[in-house]
Amino acid sequence: MADLRERFDPIPSWERPPEVSVAAPPAGGGALDAGGHGLLGVPVAPDGALPPGLGLSREQLAAAGLTGAPGTAGVCLRPDGGPVVVFGTGEREALDAAALRDAAAAFAGAAAREGRLALLFPSGTGVAPAEAAQALVEGVLLARYRFEVLKREPQAVPVEALTLLVAEPERAEAERGLRRGLLFARAAMLARDLANSPPSLLTAAVLAESATGLAARTGLAIEVFDQAQLVAMGCGGLLGVNAGSADPARMIRLRYTPDGAAGSAPARVTLVGKGVMYDSGGISLKPADAVHATMKNDMSGAGAILAAMSVLRELGCPTAVTGYLMCTDNMPSGTATKLGDLLQIRGGTTVEVINTDAEGRLIMADALVLATEEPTDAIVDIATLTGAAMRALGAEIAGVFGNRQPLVEQVLAAARATDEPAWQLPLSRRYRAELDSEVADIKNMGGPNGGAIHAALFLEDFVDGRPWAHLDIAGPAQNDSASSWRPKGCTGFGARLLAEFLLGFTPPGSPRPGSGEGGEGARRER
């Protein structure tokens, strides 16, 4: 086991990126050909003219079950004997970036044994060439992701190269989108790698080492705070959750400064991520069922932040970003925090712990306070925080809370653009009294109902009125079965969403008069 720890790479996808490129399709109206770039994929709609040079009729495609419907794809042998993958895009009127991403995923699945792929770019779809190219690249690469670094004989064939065959005048825009698609896909795959890594191999300290190496290669500044430093900083939430662990906690602070920002004042965002490397529930032990095997994904929030920030430099992000990754496991032992114990968060707030399985909010509270100690235009946290959010929204949709509606709208817009679904839930301050404690400033859980709201209200107590949004990704962080470009297992949800959000971020400003957003209006509602 010691040897395995020494050679384990928690981010194998990052180390072996595929090649992506744009090339011209065959000229002269002859038979479609990949031009030596690999197995060719051809998009087909349910009606209308087929791509010139395909060499197959509608009747031949229908006989193979290839109607152009979304999700359909298969390998066909053309009269000349050459194989081609025909994949359906669905009705032209309904075609958007999400549909193209799904269609590309179907193509990638049908070509699962091929490492070199080419894809005929669908023209005249109504989707901007850059947006379409990005979606196609993401669909192919994310659908083919597998985490097999720990297998002696991996079964999956990785994508080595992907070429989009694009005619002028769309080629320049498509090339720009292709590059962005590769970076977004790499971020999501990095987040998946981290969340899929076994907790015995990816401890908080190992994550800190990996983040340090990654930061050096991606233009990020990084600081890692160890146990002694966390004690000196008064990070009682993180230390309290770590109290039962044999592995020490780590807080990782990442900073991204845009190129050319010297002398200017770019918009600033602070990200806070839950990094519970394994969550047993602590003394409030989780039930002895299959949920335990998924609790390595409880650091998905921290993983999403590290992954998103790792591509900001190459994306040319104009926003300055600070990221806090709060990393520990949550274990039961003779030294673990007990029910009824009191923890003191950085800044002095005391918390009565009435359930040690509500630990994510405790470690994030320290970071939220730290976020308020520096100038920032917005704070966004992301965490696999509550089963209650999953009960409300299912396993595919994240919950979003916030104290500034313009900020929440930006998060929701990023969710729509990346097809990482999110839904706003109410930050109903009428429930805040359920967090009142008789012995401390606040307790870490409310009543039996509204658990996702209670968790958000707890976190809001530590943002000091700053513009803030909270993403609860407990549901979509994990898939029980593969679906389109979303694999079975850890999904990397949030990495692409955060990157999209940061690229287009604008400061939300002060609360609107009479809106009840933050400030005095929020306090009166309590």
Side-chain angles (χ1 to χ4, degrees), residues 173-492:
E173 280 296 293
E175 190 159 8
R176 186 169 63 85
L178 171 140
R179 182 63 182 164
R180 179 165 158 145
L182 173 63
L183 292 169
F184 271 58
R186 292 191 73 190
M189 291 190 290
L190 190 155
R192 290 174 179 180
D193 284 347
L194 292 170
N196 278 315
S197 293
S200 58
L201 300 178
L202 186 63
T203 63
V206 171
L207 178 59
E209 292 171 5
S210 185
T212 298
L214 197 61
R217 285 177 283 170
T218 58
L220 302 175
I222 185 170
E223 299 168 273
V224 177
F225 299 86
D226 63 17
Q227 206 89 349
Q229 291 169 303
L230 293 169
V231 170
M233 295 170 69
C235 293
L238 182 55
L239 292 166
V241 173
N242 183 251
S245 177
D247 294 312
R250 292 289 186 270
M251 182 176 75
I252 304 164
R253 182 162 61 196
L254 300 164
R255 296 192 192 274
Y256 164 77
T257 303
D259 292 332
S264 63
R268 298 159 297 187
V269 170
T270 305
L271 303 176
V272 172
K274 176 184 176 183
V276 175
M277 316 308 292
Y278 178 78
D279 181 18
S280 71
I283 296 297
S284 304
L285 195 66
K286 293 180 184 293
D289 58 23
V291 73
H292 272 283
T294 69
M295 282 299 102
K296 63 183 181 180
N297 81 14
D298 215 20
M299 45 64 63
S300 292
I305 291 175
L306 175 58
M309 292 187 67
S310 295
V311 296
L312 294 183
R313 181 77 56 199
E314 287 196 72
L315 286 169
C317 180
T319 306
V321 184
T322 298
Y324 287 94
L325 316 184
M326 308 302 285
C327 302
T328 178
D329 50 11
N330 182 26
M331 299 294 289
S333 77
T335 60
T337 293
K338 301 172 287 297
L339 278 68
D341 276 352
L342 186 145
L343 303 178
Q344 184 166 287
I345 305 299
R346 179 176 174 87
T349 298
T350 54
V351 180
E352 180 188 7
V353 178
I354 64 169
N355 188 320
T356 61
D357 197 22
E359 84 297 336
R361 64 202 72 181
L362 297 172
I363 66 175
M364 292 165 71
D366 287 324
L368 292 173
V369 173
L370 284 164
T372 69
E373 295 174 2
E374 296 182 339
T376 189
D377 295 307
I379 301 169
V380 176
D381 73 68
I382 180 169
T384 46
L385 205 61
T386 69
M390 196 181 340
R391 300 293 176 270
L393 298 173
E396 297 183 15
I397 303 173
V400 181
F401 299 83
N403 63 4
R404 298 287 198 286
Q405 194 58 33
L407 178 60
V408 171
E409 294 295 342
Q410 290 185 57
V411 173
L412 294 173
R416 289 190 295 271
T418 54
D419 198 19
E420 294 197 336
W423 193 264
Q424 185 175 4
L425 294 174
L427 190 68
S428 185
R429 295 180 179 87
R430 67 184 64 202
Y431 295 148
R432 173 58 181 79
E434 297 183 36
L435 294 173
D436 289 345
S437 166
E438 294 184 3
V439 297
D441 295 318
I442 192 172
K443 58 186 180 183
N444 75 326
M445 278 193 73
N449 302 308
I453 300 174
H454 291 142
L457 289 169
F458 180 94
L459 294 173
E460 190 199 17
D461 255 44
F462 297 92
V463 301
D464 194 30
R466 304 295 200 284
W468 158 80
H470 159 57
L471 269 161
D472 191 330
I473 63 170
Q478 180 94 15
N479 263 357
D480 290 335
S481 59
S483 174
S484 185
W485 49 273
R486 303 169 182 89
K488 181 178 181 180
C490 300
T491 64

